[in-house]
Amino acid sequence: MDIKLTKAQIKEAAQQAFDYASTVTGGENAHYIPYLANIDSNLFGLSVMLPDGTAFNFGDTTYKFGIESVSKVPTAILAMIQDSPQGVLEKIGADATGLPFNSIFAILLENHSPSTPLVNAGAISACSMINPKGNSEAKWKAIVDNITDLCGSAPVLIDELYRSESETNFNNRAIAWLLKNYERIYDDPSMSLDLYTRQCSLGITCEQLSVMAATIASHGVNPLTGKRVFDQAISPKITTLIATVGFYQSTGNWLYTSGIPAKSGVGGGVLGVLPGVFGIAAFAPPLDEAGNSVKAQAAVKKFMNILGLGLMNGDFVTIAD
Ligand code: GLU
């Protein structure tokens, strides 16, 4: 079916979704990272960006929050840019674990594989893949430059969050060394873990995340800067990873009910991609039991349902002025 939308309709749907989700309560801030436990639970933002750079922003969309697991998306893209989509498939994998984001059991169950760059194990492995190997500062620069290209503006390290995570990331330390044991770490394990922890501690805004989402939806071209950030062949690969594991063990439920591939982080951020149509981001700190933001989920789902859109619907969607 052909679906013709106007920008006014999209703006109105986003406003309605924001208003609705503002009334949704429940969930709790992530408690296992001290910094996140203390963030104001009432913050809430929703941002939509179209492929022509048109932006719709509601609420706290310029507040810098911890990007956390959403950082797994840009670094998976960077590993695909520097190596290849096939290389990421062979070195890390592209399978859902069906288990929590920090599961050690998943590594053992999946024949010693990190499964996907979008869970902790695979993300630490992806950090180890980044070039130039053995040079922490140069690798860090590559990771941050890539996020800057995807967002059209730079993220900022939240030092307090980085310290907070570094002092408490015992489970991730175990993952890094277990992966080393199974030859799934392609650089120094401690350096790879530190880069992963640092990238999770980057502060990002809802507006920036919506630009990153729109860059993926626009097959690698940043709608704000016009820069081609990655080859268009990477776009369906990263969107597939997001669709299969973006919401951890509740990913199937999410895609079934919302229709949009999306990646969440325990900082409360959600990044959603409807290929060729738009990028969307939402942010609110309280999380459900799987670690996904309650309000952000409500907002994105409502937006999709109002517009009657869905990745699997098979519709041809056009947006007019
Ligand atoms: N830095 C967090 C961790 O490694 C990220 C988890 C997430 O956002 O899912 O536990």
Side-chain angles (χ1 to χ4, degrees), residues 32-33 68-69 72 101 120 165 172 196 200 248 265-266:
Y32 72 104
I33 299 172
E68 295 296 346
S69 262
K72 291 165 178 161
F101 58 87
N120 288 18
E165 291 218 27
N172 288 341
Y196 166 73
C200 285
Y248 303 116
V266 296

Side-chain angles (χ1 to χ4, degrees), residues 304-317:
M304 294 298 292
N305 292 342
I306 291 170
L307 292 173
L309 299 176
L311 178 72
M312 305 300 185
N313 296 5
D315 295 325
F316 183 69
V317 183

Side-chain angles (χ1 to χ4, degrees), residues 219-299:
H219 317 295
V221 176
N222 183 316
L224 278 190
T225 63
K227 179 173 178 176
R228 173 163 289 288
V229 183
F230 58 80
D231 189 274
Q232 62 178 13
I234 290 175
S235 188
K237 302 303 183 200
I238 190 64
T239 308
T240 298
L241 295 179
I242 295 171
T244 47
V245 77
F247 267 54
Y248 303 116
Q249 66 271 40
S250 56
T251 303
N253 185 315
W254 167 258
L255 194 56
Y256 195 94
T257 54
S258 71
I260 184 169
K263 179 76 200 84
S264 67
V266 296
V270 166
L271 164 151
V273 178
L274 196 60
V277 186
F278 55 72
I280 186 166
F283 155 67
L287 312 175
D288 66 13
E289 279 175 9
N292 304 312
S293 167
V294 172
K295 267 199 174 82
Q297 286 184 71

Side-chain angles (χ1 to χ4, degrees), residues 45-65:
L46 176 67
S47 297
V48 180
M49 175 155 284
L50 306 183
D52 70 355
T54 303
F56 303 115
N57 298 301
F58 302 90
D60 303 310
T61 57
T62 58
Y63 179 86
K64 285 188 171 49
F65 57 94

Side-chain angles (χ1 to χ4, degrees), residues 167-232:
E167 284 163 6
T168 54
N169 64 351
F170 308 113
N171 190 88
N172 288 341
R173 291 183 212 179
I175 289 176
W177 285 101
L178 191 60
L179 291 176
K180 170 70 179 168
N181 187 49
Y182 295 136
E183 299 179 352
R184 295 295 194 155
I185 288 283
Y186 308 99
D187 204 342
D188 179 77
S190 298
M191 183 200 296
S192 307
L193 173 63
D194 177 58
L195 287 167
Y196 166 73
T197 310
R198 252 196 278 176
Q199 75 174 26
C200 285
S201 309
L202 284 169
I204 198 101
T205 68
C206 200
E207 289 181 15
Q208 285 178 304
L209 272 192
S210 72
V211 183
M212 185 191 293
T215 302
I216 299 170
S218 305
H219 317 295
V221 176
N222 183 316
L224 278 190
T225 63
K227 179 173 178 176
R228 173 163 289 288
V229 183
F230 58 80
D231 189 274
Q232 62 178 13

